[in-house]
Amino acid sequence: HDTENRCMNIAQDIHNIRKKNAKQFEEDIMGELQDLYLDKAVFKIHFEKTKIQKEGIDKIQFMVSINKGQDLSLLNETASGGEISRIMLAIKTIILQYNTIETIVFDEVDTGVSGKVASRIGEKMRHLSLKKQVLCITHLPQVACLGHYHYSIEKKSQTDDTVTSIRLLTNEERIMEIAKMLSGDRITNEAIENAKQL
């Protein structure tokens, strides 16, 4: 019984710390979302009390409202692919400030976005790379052009298996790869010029 009481006291302390920091976390996420063209979005952390478990006595859910006047609902139930990509980037950006992780991998975090939103996502990741090593897997030229290094990853099917290779691109190869992202396999002169500008 004594052990149970001690556990409950610790769980309550954890709950209080979470509640205290949730407001700041919400504000930080909202600030990031402003930068990612989700300025009407609202992000809230919902707490629900549970039976004691190893993580404490909280069930925590991320709630969002993307558009003005829209009710809050679970992040994964209401947002589109592109919106989830941006919200996840915002969450990771904030969490990394309090983390000792030196390398972060973004695997197609730009899914479902294009144009100026893609450029902003690329800029966010480049800014993160000032403090952390960032590896980004992308098919978007607006994101790829912002990397300090550009690797090409290729899969080739052989008779019995599939081989994946990776190689660092030269500046000229990089221009051609970005041009391919812009125009598909048939690379046009316009795409090459656009890739050079990017």
Side-chain angles (χ1 to χ4, degrees), residues 28-144:
D28 291 345
I29 297 294
M30 299 273 281
E32 292 293 321
L33 295 180
Q34 294 270 330
D35 289 349
L36 293 166
Y37 300 108
L38 285 173
D39 52 319
K40 304 282 188 296
V42 176
F43 177 88
K44 291 275 181 202
I45 298 170
H46 175 72
F47 287 84
E48 193 177 304
K49 197 164 184 180
T50 64
K51 285 193 290 187
I52 194 161
Q53 54 193 315
K54 65 179 180 177
E55 291 88 12
I57 50 171
D58 298 308
K59 179 183 178 185
I60 296 170
Q61 295 174 313
F62 292 162
M63 310 292 287
V64 292
S65 163
I66 302 299
N67 302 303
K68 204 171 184 177
Q70 189 179 31
D71 290 338
L72 286 165
S73 54
L74 284 169
L75 169 60
N76 59 333
E77 288 179 0
T78 188
S80 70
E83 289 160 350
I84 287 174
S85 294
R86 286 180 273 172
I87 294 166
M88 289 311 299
L89 177 58
I91 290 169
K92 285 184 178 182
T93 300
I94 296 304
I95 287 173
L96 279 173
Q97 294 174 18
Y98 305 98
N99 211 302
T100 56
I101 291 170
E102 292 302 320
T103 301
I104 180 147
V105 178
F106 290 109
D107 186 0
E108 297 189 40
V109 72
D110 46 31
T111 300
V113 301
S114 60
K116 65 179 184 177
V117 175
S119 296
R120 187 57 60 88
I121 285 174
E123 288 162 14
K124 277 268 176 214
M125 286 190 273
R126 189 174 174 102
H127 183 71
L128 266 178
S129 76
L130 300 173
K131 295 183 181 134
K132 308 281 182 180
Q133 177 175 267
V134 175
L135 300 176
C136 171
I137 299 161
T138 184
H139 296 286
L140 292 181
Q142 299 97 323
V143 174

Side-chain angles (χ1 to χ4, degrees), residues 9-22:
N9 288 337
I10 292 166
Q12 189 60 51
D13 288 345
I14 292 168
H15 169 78
N16 294 340
I17 292 166
R18 285 174 174 156
K19 285 293 269 191
K20 183 175 155 226
N21 290 287

Side-chain angles (χ1 to χ4, degrees), residues 129-182:
S129 76
L130 300 173
K131 295 183 181 134
K132 308 281 182 180
Q133 177 175 267
V134 175
L135 300 176
C136 171
I137 299 161
T138 184
H139 296 286
L140 292 181
Q142 299 97 323
V143 174
C145 71
L146 290 168
H148 295 103
Y149 301 95
H150 192 150
Y151 292 84
S152 175
I153 302 171
E154 291 179 348
K155 274 188 188 176
K156 285 187 181 157
S157 292
Q158 298 178 341
T159 314
D160 294 329
D161 60 357
T162 302
V163 176
T164 302
S165 63
I166 181 170
R167 67 188 178 83
L168 178 63
L169 300 181
T170 65
N171 198 46
E172 287 71 29
E173 288 173 326
R174 187 175 184 184
I175 287 166
M176 295 308 286
E177 193 64 35
I178 290 170
K180 196 191 294 181
M181 289 177 179
L182 288 163

